[in-house]
Each structure stands twice: as C-alpha cells, then as structure tokens.
Amino acid sequence: MPALTFRNALPADAARCFEIETTAYEGDEAATLEKIATRIAQYPQGFLILEADGEVIGFINCGCAHNVVMSDEAFKELVGHSAEAPNVVIMSVVVDPAHQGKGYSTALMTEFVQRMRGMGKQTIHLMCKERHVPLYERMGYRYVRPSPPDHGGMAWHEMVMALQG
C-alpha cells in the first residue's frame, strides 16, 4: 500500500484538484477551476488533500456556516462562509477514479472528521447521491431528507453528522 499523507491544499493544487473533480463527477456537477481556487484561497484549513506516494489522489473541501442552507448555490463560492461558524458544509469528497475502491475515501473522511472535531465544529453536512447514502451512514452520518435542488441535473440527499456530545 502506498504511503498516504494528508495536508491542507495550496494554491498550486487547484489544477490537479480540478482534474480529479471533473473525472470523478458526472454532468455539470463538478466545480469549476475558479470555484476550487476560491475555496483553497479563502479556506485552506477546510480543504484537505490526500496524497499517495506524493501524488494528489483525492480531497475534501468545505465551508462553514452559522445557518446551513444546503440549496444555497452561492455558498459553493464561499459567499456567506464564516471560518468560525460551527457548522461545516462539505462541497466535494472525491478520489481519482484510478484510485477508487481502495478505502481512500473512508480514510480521507476519517481524517477530515478528526480535524473538524479538533477545530471545535458541531456538525458536518453534505449532499450525496442515493447510492452513497449507505456509505455515509456507515461513516456516522444521519439521513436528513431528499434535497430540493437538482444540482447538476441529479437527485441529491442531505446528510448530517453531529460532532459534539
């Protein structure tokens, strides 16, 4: 197994993250290079990179909010993001398709959750496709509801994990 390392994203990671995002997500659900660069620049402590033997193979990025509105499209560009807010909103959890099926997304999520707990966050929110609901439930997320928006022309489901208590 390759040596796995976790670190916060740097501006130089934007192009590789965009490449992974566009190969892993379907339709128009992938974030643009500009959105990824903005997320790295504005909240690098919420942008976790996974490397295998020094190669970036996956990442999670997020923003934080006092009041979570999962359908808020502007939030994907960190409009309304507040670093000290207690609620984390994940925008992407992605592993390069060439490295999928090896447990890397679970390792990435485990590290991410530990970091958010360490920062004193209270909840982590995400949206996923129906086929990923059982995976996130195994990771400790609770199903909330089908999401009203139709991001990327697909059906999404809201999930939440409580970090404190």
Side-chain angles (χ1 to χ4, degrees):
M1 182 157 175
L4 299 181
T5 54
F6 299 96
R7 63 174 175 81
N8 292 115
L10 303 168
D13 294 318
R16 174 63 178 141
C17 290
F18 176 68
E19 180 185 343
I20 294 170
E21 178 107 353
T22 55
T23 57
Y25 283 118
E26 307 166 38
D28 62 356
E29 63 187 353
T32 62
L33 177 59
E34 292 74 23
K35 282 182 184 175
I36 289 171
T38 296
R39 293 170 190 172
I40 292 172
Q42 291 189 14
Y43 195 51
Q45 60 271 49
F47 202 122
L48 182 64
I49 297 278
L50 169 62
E51 292 179 327
D53 292 335
E55 176 193 2
V56 175
I57 62 163
F59 62 90
I60 295 178
N61 62 46
C62 70
C64 297
H66 291 282
N67 298 305
V68 175
V69 180
M70 294 300 291
S71 58
D72 183 354
E73 284 296 312
F75 192 76
K76 292 180 176 72
E77 295 181 50
L78 295 184
V79 174
H81 159 75
S82 175
E84 73 279 352
N87 305 300
V88 175
V89 180
I90 291 178
M91 296 178 220
S92 297
V93 177
V94 62
V95 172
D96 185 321
H99 296 277
Q100 290 178 2
K102 300 175 184 174
Y104 294 152
S105 63
T106 301
L108 192 52
M109 183 61 74
T110 299
E111 178 72 16
F112 181 80
V113 169
Q114 288 174 342
R115 287 178 180 223
M116 294 302 112
R117 255 194 196 107
M119 292 168 67
K121 301 302 180 187
Q122 294 176 2
T123 62
I124 300 176
H125 299 256
L126 61 79
M127 286 197 304
C128 66
K129 292 184 201 146
E130 188 167 357
R131 71 177 182 262
H132 296 305
V133 168
L135 170 68
Y136 286 115
E137 286 176 334
R138 286 193 302 276
M139 290 182 189
Y141 286 82
R142 178 181 53 80
Y143 186 83
V144 177
R145 64 181 178 150
S147 186
D150 207 28
H151 178 63
M154 319 221 175
W156 293 86
H157 299 272
E158 295 180 20
M159 302 194 72
V160 64
M161 176 190 287
L163 297 177
Q164 312 297 330

